[in-house]
Amino acid sequence: MSHKSGQAIIPFPLRANVLGAAWPLLLLWWAEVLCRQAGADPPPSMRLPPCQHVPTIDGEVKPGEWDEAFAGFGLIGERRAARYFLTYDGRTLYAAMQTELPPWGRIDGKIRRLPFEVFQDDHFELHINPPREPEDPDKAYYQLVGNARDCFWNSQHTEQNPGFLPFNGDWTFRNSVKDGWWTWELSTPVHALGKARITPETTWGFKFVRCWHQPHAENFWPSGGYFDRSSYFQVALDASAPVVQLEDFGKWWEGRSDIVLGLRNLTVRPLAVKAFFRLEGGGTEARTLEQEATLAAWDPAASPAPPRETVRFSQSWAAGKEASLSLRVTSPDGQKVYFSDVRPFPKPPDGPLWVAAVEKKEEIAFRAFFYPGVSRLRCEVSFGHLKQASAVTRALLVVMDAGGGEITRSEATRFIEGDADPLIPLPPGLPQGRYEVRLSLFAGDQQVAGPLTSRSCSRRPLSLNLDVAARQLAITVQEGAFHPDLEDVVPSRLAVVLHGDHERAPVCQDPGERPLLQVW
């Protein structure tokens, strides 16, 4: 699926349930706090040559297709296998990621009406920080998120605002779930990334993330904060460098490390390199290995794939102990570093490797609320877990006042995997008060579910007071305005200070409390 997306995603999406819509941003912020508290080794880095044969972006990692690409293995502190690939040519960036399937062979996710909702599914993420010249006005970096149903969301971030900002990306994105792996491939012309350029000796930053939805588990490589670009995988573009490919780290959670390192030379001349390994911790003395190799030259006309040299490093330590592995690939004199990484092996997590997701009950999720404004009601309907879900052809929605009298009615006939998001226009002059919506589902003329009644929602206004001279905007949210869920999460008043510059100061905050939101 090719995506030319321009969704206006703002730092705090104005959805009916504010916290529900913003939970991915809150998770990213909290993860960054934890990473900063834990401290970090220098980020992994490498020098990467361009590929001569570009991979086909079809959601399948075929044999030999990524032979000219960097290949990584494993996510920080994660026992379940993951692989990721990265390469480029004169104008396009290519990336892929794979994760082993759970024993039941399914990936949790569905076709989403709103791209931002892929955060609610099992998903992959790729964070990209292009190189920028000091005079470049655009210094944005990018976050790409996709689920297994080819639903894709992207955003850009800036130094002034690390929140979600609109981005018109140009991506080719494909998935497959087969042969024990979930595979995700993408490509983008680099010009679409704020007019970035493929220039020798410039350095790009990358971060690979994989998230399980049920139960929640989020793992990444390298470590460090999501918005801390200094912790990203630092990739310098260098046509003379070898290709580094990590195939395995072994069962580190059992105190065993079996490193398989592949090296390829894409140049027409032999290339001498040295591999260095050092294992520390684990209740034992540090152990090192140095091994030199000469990588054969490659003639693409004579061989479809560059020759490969394999280096192995196997060590063991006390199971349950923390350890770390330093890995470097350099020139023989050590002066030029082609690849460097310090991989932590933390104390293994407790519990089983896989936990089956709880089967969702055969039920209907339904709620109604005033948004946007108070001239219409928005309803969220989800009945995909019903046995008769595929037979449903329409949903009847009846708006009632507090006394049960009918105000208006509407029908929804367009569903995506049992989900709908209809809007119900309300009669002009409808007074303030509390209202309910009654839902019934039909297969043709036959009613198959309902009626279900939503929680009552209050129709009350939002008042705005703007004092331009004082550069302050006072927003008063009356109790229960728009949606009953907000009664517990929205403060009674938000003070918004209007800034005409880019001072790093909170713009939206609950008086007397820490900032709730920063806008730039």
Side-chain angles (χ1 to χ4, degrees):
M1 180 181 299
S2 294
H3 295 259
K4 191 77 172 171
S5 56
Q7 295 82 15
I9 306 298
I10 62 177
F12 219 88
L14 294 177
R15 300 288 305 282
N17 187 332
V18 176
L19 289 185
W23 70 265
L25 180 59
L26 299 178
L27 285 177
L28 295 180
W29 171 80
W30 181 242
E32 182 144 1
V33 169
L34 294 178
C35 290
R36 289 182 181 275
Q37 289 176 345
D41 291 303
S45 62
M46 78 170 302
R47 307 183 74 84
L48 182 66
C51 64
Q52 298 188 33
H53 303 93
V54 301
T56 300
I57 305 302
D58 57 5
E60 298 184 27
V61 174
K62 301 181 181 69
E65 188 175 37
W66 294 85
D67 281 353
E68 301 170 40
F70 163 75
F73 188 93
L75 303 173
I76 303 298
E78 171 61 286
R79 294 174 290 173
R80 291 164 287 199
R83 303 188 292 218
Y84 32 92
F85 305 86
L86 185 66
T87 190
Y88 65 98
D89 61 11
R91 61 180 183 177
T92 304
L93 181 71
Y94 304 88
M97 195 170 179
Q98 293 184 297
T99 186
E100 66 172 304
L101 293 178
W104 50 91
R106 299 191 309 274
I107 296 296
D108 189 15
K110 61 184 181 181
I111 298 172
R112 292 292 178 179
R113 302 187 307 276
L114 302 175
F116 192 82
E117 292 177 345
V118 297
F119 280 103
Q120 301 175 31
D121 301 327
D122 295 337
H123 63 269
F124 286 131
E125 296 184 32
L126 179 64
H127 296 245
I128 303 176
N129 182 37
R132 304 295 190 192
E133 298 294 336
E135 63 273 13
D136 284 349
D138 188 347
K139 292 183 171 60
Y141 52 108
Y142 305 92
Q143 179 182 4
L144 325 165
V145 185
N147 69 9
R149 302 300 301 273
D150 280 340
C151 290
F152 186 83
W153 175 87
N154 60 176
S155 177
Q156 64 178 329
H157 313 281
T158 66
E159 294 177 353
Q160 292 78 21
N161 191 340
F164 303 143
L165 298 174
F167 176 55
N168 186 25
D170 185 3
W171 309 95
T172 300
F173 172 68
R174 291 286 194 280
N175 274 275
S176 69
V177 179
K178 57 190 281 188
D179 301 328
W181 293 93
W182 171 23
T183 302
W184 179 94
E185 291 185 319
L186 68 80
S187 67
T188 180
V190 298
H191 185 77
L193 303 177
K195 298 184 178 180
R197 298 174 292 276
I198 298 290
T199 306
E201 296 300 326
T202 56
T203 299
W204 291 65
F206 300 92
K207 190 179 190 72
F208 296 88
V209 184
R210 191 222 49 223
C211 298
W212 295 116
H213 173 51
Q214 278 191 317
H216 180 77
E218 189 168 291
N219 300 94
F220 39 79
W221 181 83
S223 59
Y226 286 93
F227 300 143
D228 179 10
R229 290 168 292 162
S230 65
S231 69
Y232 287 8
F233 178 36
Q234 305 295 309
V235 179
L237 310 187
D238 182 355
S240 66
V243 169
V244 174
Q245 298 176 326
L246 287 163
E247 288 191 359
D248 201 354
F249 274 98
K251 296 183 177 180
W252 57 267
W253 55 92
E254 296 179 0
R256 180 75 185 176
S257 180
D258 297 297
I259 313 301
V260 180
L261 172 66
L263 299 170
R264 297 181 188 269
N265 177 16
L266 306 189
T267 72
V268 296
R269 296 181 178 83
L271 180 63
V273 297
K274 179 171 66 175
F276 171 86
F277 305 85
R278 180 178 177 86
L279 182 69
E280 297 180 281
T284 62
E285 294 184 358
R287 283 149 288 174
T288 62
L289 170 69
E290 290 189 12
Q291 183 171 328
E292 295 190 5
T294 298
L295 309 181
W298 179 38
D299 180 2
S303 173
R308 173 188 167 96
E309 187 79 21
T310 301
V311 182
R312 301 177 184 272
F313 180 66
S314 297
Q315 295 291 334
S316 60
W317 63 92
K321 296 284 188 178
E322 295 184 358
S324 67
L325 173 77
S326 299
L327 192 161
R328 291 198 307 274
V329 178
T330 70
S331 58
D333 60 6
Q335 294 301 305
K336 192 169 188 177
V337 178
Y338 296 119
F339 180 79
S340 177
D341 187 21
V342 178
R343 182 65 61 100
F345 298 137
K347 184 179 179 180
D350 296 327
L353 182 61
W354 296 98
V355 178
V358 177
E359 290 294 332
K360 297 179 180 178
K361 297 179 180 179
E362 186 179 348
E363 60 185 18
I364 300 171
F366 172 51
R367 64 176 186 164
F369 45 90
F370 289 98
Y371 167 77
V374 291
S375 62
R376 51 188 174 171
L377 274 167
R378 180 181 293 273
C379 299
E380 290 184 352
V381 182
S382 180
F383 55 86
H385 297 287
L386 290 179
K387 291 180 180 179
Q388 311 100 314
S390 61
V392 173
T393 56
R394 64 188 176 99
L396 175 63
L397 300 145
V398 181
V399 180
M400 300 174 296
D401 59 23
E406 180 174 328
I407 302 299
T408 187
R409 61 175 53 201
S410 181
E411 287 192 355
T413 57
R414 182 175 179 270
F415 309 107
I416 300 177
E417 296 190 350
D419 289 356
D421 192 22
L423 286 170
I424 307 176
L426 298 174
L430 188 67
Q432 297 183 28
R434 304 191 76 87
Y435 296 88
E436 295 178 337
V437 182
R438 183 170 293 168
L439 166 71
S440 300
L441 300 178
F442 292 85
D445 294 329
Q446 181 181 0
Q447 184 170 332
V448 296
L452 297 172
T453 303
S454 68
R455 286 180 60 186
S456 62
C457 42
S458 177
R459 186 175 188 269
R460 299 181 184 179
L462 175 73
S463 63
L464 305 176
N465 298 303
L466 176 62
D467 185 344
V468 178
R471 303 175 75 194
Q472 180 164 320
L473 172 66
I475 303 178
T476 302
V477 182
Q478 298 186 16
E479 182 180 356
F482 300 120
H483 189 283
D485 287 355
L486 296 184
E487 294 177 7
D488 299 327
V489 299
V490 174
S492 61
R493 185 175 183 275
L494 300 176
V496 181
V497 181
L498 304 179
H499 289 276
D501 50 27
H502 293 292
E503 296 177 5
R504 195 167 183 81
V507 175
C508 182
Q509 67 182 45
D510 187 10
E513 301 292 337
R514 67 180 303 278
L516 294 174
L517 170 65
Q518 290 188 356
V519 182
W520 308 99

